């Protein structure tokens, strides 16, 4: 079993992640998902690498096939078709989340176009057109930008290969097929009704493209605000960050100082719309450098194979990786398990081209490590999935209290507690909110809920403490300030702890 430069960079990234956990404190609800995700990615990289060594083109076709299946479901919904999960579909989106679908299909588009050109077949032409059409309909600007960058780099690479006399002959039938795929997309965009999409602009695609680099309004402005928050966090812990998955726990307390706004107005603060920013904040500059080394080792190895053999499938895989990297700069691509699996498969496809640094024996050790990683990932993920399922079926604060710390979903639990406030008594709400507060101590809305429960129980000092914590996070929130003044006034009038206000 050989060790490549990619493997060394990946081990460095994992080491920084575990170091950040050790320094900031291990927290099961946050640390375990990160461990499971990376174990799963390790299994996918190793499996894809083994498959690429035996049947490289079959692996590429399999990845494209999975993307086409997702694209067809999205297109069916876009055309107004009904799906079992319509209840979670977001207006104006396909497949519930247009950024997720657009990014997934965009990553596979360079591979699909290369296969349709080099190995012409009607099904491959159809696959390329389906992926391109889905990317266009999703109107995910980060995906469009990724394809634009990858396209420019691919053209430059082909020109260089042509200059060296290494560009393989492209079948005329394949070139015609690629042109047909592009033409089919143009026709479908103009002729299709797309009744399933809730578009408001008269020229939606033109409107999205004109806002490709917009940064002073809409989601572009929210990304600027997220980066202001992230840079403020990075300045506090620049080397190893706050720890994996802990962006959301820590971000609200930086929002006011960084942007002058309430934490709830920096949308979305659940996870920043940039994997680059999130990794910098959670694992610091060391983790970001290790992640960059992983990407660089893959691109360098693939470039060496392309320049030596003129292999266009590898060039297309490089293009797909570039698309993923660009999307990661402007979207939370790597927070979605399906996208992580796809990027890991791409890494496995390109890993064999990386420079080898050492050979490890025996060979069976690799298989044993992969099996162990798969079992651990499943052992962590399955109980958490069952807990999440119970929260969605029983949307109450009582359900939150039944979840064990190793199954806990802090964000889903927070939503459950806040949404059940109006229909549950504080005798149930307060313990559940207190539990969530141990994992998400910087949530002003949760703190105000705890303060209201303390008021109802006549515990004025506890109510004041909760409101003071909320005021530190959002110092110019007038509602919090007025509530704190009211509590202090009642406390000063002689109502002692334990005496509820009538």
């Amino acid at each position: 079993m050989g060790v490549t430069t990619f493997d060394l960079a990946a081990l460095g990234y994992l080491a920084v992640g575990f170091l950040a956990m050790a320094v900031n404190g291990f927290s099961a609800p946050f640390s375990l998902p990160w461990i499971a995700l990376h174990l799963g990615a390790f299994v996918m990289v190793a499996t894809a690498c083994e498959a690429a060594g035996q049947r490289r083109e079959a692996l590429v076709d399999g990845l494209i096939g999975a993307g086409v299946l997702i694209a067809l479901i999205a297109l069916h919904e876009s055309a107004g078709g009904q799906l079992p999960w319509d209840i979670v579909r977001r207006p104006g989106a396909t497949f519930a989340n247009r950024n997720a679908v657009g990014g997934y299909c965009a990553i596979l588009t360079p591979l699909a176009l290369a296969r349709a050109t080099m190995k012409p077949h009607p099904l491959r032409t159809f696959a390329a057109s389906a992926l391109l059409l889905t990317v266009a309909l999703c109107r995910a600007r980060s995906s469009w930008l990724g394809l634009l960058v990858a396209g420019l780099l691919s053209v430059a690479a082909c020109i260089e290969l042509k200059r060296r006399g290494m560009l393989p002959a492209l079948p005329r039938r394949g070139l015609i097929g690629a042109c047909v795929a592009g033409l089919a997309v143009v026709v479908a965009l103009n002729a299709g009704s797309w009744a399933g999409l809730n578009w408001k602009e008269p020229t939606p695609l033109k409107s999205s493209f004109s806002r490709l680099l917009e940064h002073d309004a809409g989601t572009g402005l929210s990304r600027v605000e997220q980066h202001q928050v992230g840079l403020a966090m990075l300045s506090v812990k620049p080397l190893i960050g706050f720890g994996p998955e802990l962006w959301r726990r820590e971000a609200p307390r930086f929002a006011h100082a960084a942007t002058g706004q309430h934490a709830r107005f920096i949308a979305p603060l659940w996870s920043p719309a940039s994997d680059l920013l999130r990794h910098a904040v959670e694992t610091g500059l060391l983790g970001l450098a290790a992640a960059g080394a992983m990407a660089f080792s893959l691109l360098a190895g693939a470039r060496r194979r392309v320049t030596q053999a003129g292999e266009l499938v590898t060039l297309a895989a490089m293009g797909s990786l570039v698309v993923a990297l660009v999307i990661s700069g402007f979207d939370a691509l790597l927070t979605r398990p399906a996208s992580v699996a796809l990027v890991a498969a791409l890494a496995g496809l390109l890993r064999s081209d990386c420079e080898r640094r050492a050979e490890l024996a025996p060979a069976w050790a690799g298989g044993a490590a992969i099996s162990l990683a798969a079992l651990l990932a499943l052992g962590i993920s399955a109980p958490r999935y069952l807990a999440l399922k119970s929260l969605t079926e029983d949307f109450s604060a009582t359900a939150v209290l039944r979840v064990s710390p190793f199954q806990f979903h802090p964000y889903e639990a927070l939503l459950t507690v806040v949404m059940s406030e109006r229909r549950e008594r504080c005798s149930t709400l307060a313990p559940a909110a207190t539990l969530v507060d141990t994992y998400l101590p910087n949530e002003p809305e949760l703190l105000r809920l705890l303060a209201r429960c303390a008021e109802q129980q006549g515990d004025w000092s506890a109510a004041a403490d909760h409101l003071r914590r909320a005021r530190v996070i959002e110092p110019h929130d007038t509602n919090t300030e007025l509530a704190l003044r009211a509590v202090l006034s009642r406390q000063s009038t002689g109502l002692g702890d334990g005496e509820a206000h009538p």
Side-chain angles (χ1 to χ4, degrees):
M1 182 177 67
V3 177
T4 67
T5 51
F6 171 80
D7 301 330
L8 295 177
L11 288 173
Y13 177 77
L14 291 175
V16 174
F18 282 110
L19 178 62
M21 283 185 204
V23 171
N24 294 288
F26 180 87
S27 178
F30 298 103
S31 302
L32 287 178
W34 185 87
I35 293 173
L37 185 69
H38 286 77
L39 286 175
F42 165 72
V43 172
M44 183 60 69
V45 169
T47 304
C49 185
E50 182 67 22
Q54 298 179 6
R55 299 187 64 186
R56 191 182 188 90
E57 292 186 351
L59 171 63
V60 172
D61 287 338
L63 294 175
I64 295 171
V68 170
L69 178 62
I70 291 176
L72 290 177
I73 295 172
L75 293 174
H76 171 71
E77 186 180 8
S78 300
Q82 298 297 312
L83 294 170
W85 51 83
D86 269 357
I87 191 173
V88 298
R89 176 177 171 273
R90 193 172 61 194
T94 56
F95 203 64
N97 187 328
R98 61 192 177 105
N99 285 335
V101 173
Y104 194 96
C105 293
I107 292 171
L108 289 168
T109 296
L111 286 170
L113 287 172
R115 292 292 288 159
T117 303
M118 296 300 297
K119 297 287 185 178
H121 190 280
L123 287 179
R124 292 195 175 100
T125 301
F126 172 77
S129 60
L131 291 171
L132 275 172
L133 181 58
T134 304
V135 173
L137 289 175
C138 285
R139 297 172 61 192
R141 289 171 289 172
S142 58
S143 300
W144 291 3
L145 185 60
L147 283 175
L148 181 61
V149 173
L152 293 174
L153 292 177
S154 297
V155 169
C158 288
I159 292 175
E160 178 62 19
L161 289 175
K162 179 71 173 177
R163 187 185 66 83
R164 297 185 181 187
M166 299 180 61
L167 184 68
L170 301 178
R172 176 180 294 182
R173 185 182 166 198
L175 291 173
I176 294 174
C179 292
V180 168
L183 182 61
V185 170
V186 174
V187 172
L189 288 174
N190 288 278
S193 61
W194 308 117
L197 299 178
N198 188 22
W199 285 344
K200 298 179 180 179
E201 302 95 336
T203 55
L205 297 175
K206 181 180 178 181
S207 174
S208 291
F209 190 80
S210 66
R211 294 182 284 109
L212 192 63
L213 299 178
E214 183 182 61
H215 63 277
D216 55 357
T219 56
L221 177 59
S222 73
R223 282 169 168 79
V224 172
E225 293 168 341
Q226 291 167 15
H227 279 75
Q228 290 174 328
V229 174
L231 291 175
M233 298 171 71
L234 188 61
S235 66
V236 175
K237 295 186 176 182
L239 289 180
I240 57 172
F242 287 84
E245 304 293 326
L246 292 181
W247 161 280
R248 180 56 172 136
R249 191 184 77 178
E250 304 296 336
R253 65 189 178 97
F254 290 88
H256 173 73
T259 67
Q261 296 193 58
H262 299 316
R264 62 179 177 274
F265 293 151
I266 311 298
L269 262 186
W270 289 108
S271 182
S274 170
D275 290 317
L276 180 69
L277 178 64
R278 180 172 58 86
H279 282 293
V281 168
E282 294 181 349
T283 59
L285 297 177
L286 291 178
L288 190 62
M294 292 165 60
F296 179 79
S297 65
L298 292 174
L299 292 173
R303 179 182 179 276
R304 185 165 49 250
R305 180 172 183 142
V306 170
T307 54
Q308 291 176 357
E311 188 176 304
L312 292 190
V313 171
T314 301
L315 178 61
M318 286 180 66
S320 293
L321 184 57
V322 168
V323 173
L325 292 173
V326 173
I327 294 175
S328 293
F330 300 94
D331 194 19
L333 178 75
L334 298 180
T335 61
R336 305 167 188 136
S339 298
V340 172
L342 176 58
V343 174
L346 273 177
L349 180 66
L350 296 174
R351 175 186 173 274
S352 58
D353 301 323
C354 296
E355 185 179 351
R356 291 184 177 269
R357 292 295 186 181
E359 292 291 334
L360 296 180
W364 58 264
I370 294 172
S371 301
L372 180 60
L375 288 174
L376 288 174
L378 182 63
I380 294 172
S381 301
R384 288 180 59 82
Y385 170 77
L386 294 175
L388 180 60
K389 187 172 183 292
S390 69
L391 283 178
T392 55
E393 292 175 348
D394 183 4
F395 211 66
S396 66
T398 307
V400 173
L401 295 172
R402 292 199 296 262
V403 179
S404 74
F406 290 96
Q407 297 177 290
F408 205 75
H409 289 258
Y411 310 144
E412 286 75 9
L414 171 65
L415 293 174
T416 299
V417 170
V418 171
M419 293 183 69
S420 61
E421 177 186 2
R422 294 185 178 180
R423 54 187 172 80
E424 294 198 44
R425 296 178 178 274
C426 273
S427 58
T428 304
L429 278 173
T434 301
L435 178 61
V436 178
D437 186 45
T438 59
Y439 300 114
L440 297 173
N442 300 309
E443 295 292 335
E445 188 171 5
L446 183 66
L447 292 170
R448 285 189 286 268
L449 186 152
L450 285 168
R452 287 192 291 273
C453 286
E455 285 185 61
Q456 291 183 19
Q457 297 168 0
D459 192 347
W460 304 110
S461 60
D465 288 340
H466 292 313
L467 290 171
R468 287 191 185 100
R469 286 174 56 196
R471 184 176 63 178
V472 170
I473 299 166
E474 293 186 345
H476 64 172
D477 187 333
T478 54
N479 292 331
T480 300
E481 185 64 32
L482 291 174
L484 179 58
R485 290 179 183 176
V487 168
L488 294 176
S489 174
R490 292 168 186 171
Q491 191 174 21
S492 64
T493 57
L495 285 175
D497 286 348
E499 299 180 57
H501 187 72

